[in-house]
C-alpha cells in the first residue's frame, strides 16, 4: 500500500517539482479531510442555509454527498491509480459546495446580508476542487500521450 500511495518517494516524477509534491502530498489530502469533517458536521448539525432555501431532506442528502464525495476524493488523492474516484468525488464536492454557496447567495439576495461573508467563502472553496479536476485531466492526457509515443517513464 505504501508503494501505491502518494507519499512513496517515486509516486511523483522529479520533473513535477517541489510545489507539485507539496500540493499532492499535503494540501489536497488536508482539503479532502476538511471536506469529510464538513460532511460529518452537516450530518450532525444540518446545513441551515439548505434548510431555509430547500428543506431538511435536501440538507441531509447534501451532507451525505459531501461526506461520500470527500472520502472518495481522499482515496483518489492518496492512491493516484484511483484517479477516477478522485475525479468523481471532486465533482460531487463541486456540486454540493456550489449549491450551498448558491443557497447562501439567494439568502443574501433576500436580505440576509450577514451571510455574504460565508457565501463568499463557500464560493472561494470551489477553486481548489475545480483546479484539481483540470489538473487530473491534464495528467491523464499527458499520460496517454506518453504511452502513445512508447515513452516508458
Amino acid at each position: 500500500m505504501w508503494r501505491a500511495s502518494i507519499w512513496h518517494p517515486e509516486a511523483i516524477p522529479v520533473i513535477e517539482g517541489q510545489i507539485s509534491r507539496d500540493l499532492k502530498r499535503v494540501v489536497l489530502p488536508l482539503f479532502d479531510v476538511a471536506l469529510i469533517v464538513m460532511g460529518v458536521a452537516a450530518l450532525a448539525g444540518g446545513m441551515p442555509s439548505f434548510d431555509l432555501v430547500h428543506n431538511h431532506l435536501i440538507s441531509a442528502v447534501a451532507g451525505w454527498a459531501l461526506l461520500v464525495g470527500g472520502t472518495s476524493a481522499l482515496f483518489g488523492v492518496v492512491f493516484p491509480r484511483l484517479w477516477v474516484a478522485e475525479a468523481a468525488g471532486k465533482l460531487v464536492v463541486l456540486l454540493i459546495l456550489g449549491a450551498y454557496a448558491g443557497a447562501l447567495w439567494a439568502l443574501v439576495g433576500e436580505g440576509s446580508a450577514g451571510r455574504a461573508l460565508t457565501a463568499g467563502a463557500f464560493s472561494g472553496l470551489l477553486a481548489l476542487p475545480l483546479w484539481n479536476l483540470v489538473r487530473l485531466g491534464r495528467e491523464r492526457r499527458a499520460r496517454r500521450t506518453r504511452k502513445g509515443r512508447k515513452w516508458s517513464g
Side-chain angles (χ1 to χ4, degrees):
M1 281 183 61
W2 165 251
R3 188 157 179 72
S5 80
I6 196 69
W7 296 291
H8 188 273
E10 297 173 9
I12 302 170
V14 175
I15 195 167
E16 287 191 32
Q18 187 63 39
I19 292 173
S20 183
R21 281 191 294 281
D22 291 346
L23 280 169
K24 290 179 177 182
R25 291 180 175 157
V26 179
V27 175
L28 295 176
L30 285 176
F31 184 79
D32 292 337
V33 168
L35 292 171
I36 292 168
V37 170
M38 289 169 64
V40 170
L43 291 172
M47 297 174 87
S49 296
F50 266 10
D51 289 339
L52 292 171
V53 173
H54 301 292
N55 61 43
H56 182 68
L57 177 63
I58 298 294
S59 180
V61 169
W64 277 107
L66 192 57
L67 177 61
V68 170
T71 302
S72 175
L74 180 61
F75 275 107
V77 167
V78 172
F79 300 106
R81 289 185 182 215
L82 300 177
W83 67 271
V84 172
E86 181 182 4
K90 291 296 193 233
L91 284 171
V92 169
V93 163
L94 274 172
L95 176 69
I96 299 304
L97 292 180
Y100 198 72
L104 287 163
W105 284 118
L107 291 171
V108 169
E110 293 175 0
S112 298
R115 295 181 190 264
L117 177 66
T118 307
F122 269 87
S123 297
L125 281 177
L126 297 172
L128 190 58
L130 184 59
W131 167 83
N132 200 35
L133 284 171
V134 170
R135 176 193 63 82
L136 282 169
R138 286 182 181 152
E139 285 181 2
R140 295 307 129 208
R141 282 190 301 278
R143 182 164 283 142
R144 271 185 296 197
T145 301
R146 286 191 300 256
K147 284 183 179 178
R149 293 182 183 159
K150 307 286 188 238
W151 187 75
S152 61

